[in-house]
Amino acid sequence: MSSESEALSQPQEETPSNLDLNPEPQEDSTGVTRDKELWFEDGTIVLLAPAGADDATSLVAFRVYTGILASASPVFRDLFAVAQPGDGEFFDDCPAVHLAETAGALRSFLTALLGPSCALATTKRNNRVLGHTVSFAWLADVARTAHKYQADQLADAAIGRIAELFLPREARLWINFAGSWTEQITIGRLLYGIEFRSEDAIEAVNLARLFDRPLMLPLALYMCCLLEPSSLRNGVKRKDGVLERLTDDDFARCMRAIPSMAKESYAHMQRTLEWAGEGLFKECTQPYKCKLAAKEAATSDLSEQTTIHHLFVRADQRVVLAGSGLIRYGPAHSLKWACGPCLVFRLKRSTDLCCGAWRKLPKWFFNEGIEGWC
């Protein structure tokens, strides 16, 4: 991996992702569970939320402050304004309100609202987020819940942090054709301080829809296409048990795009090897060896080297894992025996094809493309 990747792999400061954002709640004798961290004895309101999507009867209680909630959210402000003293439910001698969000989603929202400001900070140096790594799941909970309660400042900060990973101009900082897709997405996580799992792609698409961020969609949909077919069709469950699924329209977009992208990936290898074979130009220093290398590569099986995982991977970096777990290089690797000028010629053509695929990405999902894509 490059020196940049090695630098990005250095240990980071303690951050919200390695702090306990999901502490174990403490159960009360009434059967309602007090949250371990978000229970302030001087709090003025208790928020009651179901423990999970599959456990709506168990409740988790958060004792917080009406003033802070009301200042951040007009929905909470209106809710508290219409409440009359003495009316409604009480818990532990404090007014209580039932909310529909799962305890996990509400905990993320309240942690962002009441916790350290560093949780959503995006301090950068050399295009890298410094010091504060958070999980995509946590950011998504914050963005979604803040959007519902119209806590716009918090919602914008959370979705803005997520969007950096998917926007075309920002993503070009980590889309590096000279690395495998696994290496590229790892660099993206480190650059933007987001712990992102492949399964999060579905929720990223849904958030892009919710917040009307169309420029996030091409890369998020592409990542959906890399999932197992069952996950792509049936969706994946979040930690709180809520199922995230693509809409029928977005699922259909992926199904139409997959064969087109696979065809592009295969054509990339063919054209790269063909060009290399034709690369016996005046700068070639060893015509016999270059011709032999090109012939060997051109007659190899390209199928393993042309999956859509390789769409943005330069030909010489397309590798597969052998059964033993060792890296097995594909047909383009044999061209490393070519002379310097022929190798440069081939790699430039392969890089140009990667750039072309990047520019075409929106059109595989949207016939008209997306305005603003680079």
Side-chain angles (χ1 to χ4, degrees), residues 233 245-253 256:
R233 172 63 283 185
R245 292 186 62 185
L246 292 176
T247 64
D248 289 344
D249 286 345
D250 282 333
F251 174 74
R253 287 186 175 92
R256 289 193 298 267

Side-chain angles (χ1 to χ4, degrees), residues 328-351:
R328 176 161 54 83
Y329 288 87
H333 184 67
S334 63
L335 286 179
K336 286 184 176 292
W337 299 109
C339 70
C342 286
L343 182 61
V344 170
F345 176 76
R346 177 176 65 83
L347 295 184
K348 183 180 184 303
R349 289 296 180 263
S350 184
T351 299

Side-chain angles (χ1 to χ4, degrees), residues 2 4 11 50 70 91 108 130 181 216 234 242 248 265 316 335 345:
S2 67
E4 179 187 12
F91 180 81
S108 298
L130 298 179
W181 177 250
M216 287 177 56
N234 301 325
V242 175
D248 289 344
S265 184
D316 62 314
L335 286 179
F345 176 76

Side-chain angles (χ1 to χ4, degrees), residues 47 55 70 74 99 107 132 159 254 259 264 301 317 320 336 347:
L47 305 179
D55 188 11
L99 299 178
R107 184 182 295 112
H132 309 305
I159 193 62
C254 289
E264 177 80 12
D301 180 12
Q317 297 300 318
V320 294
K336 286 184 176 292
L347 295 184

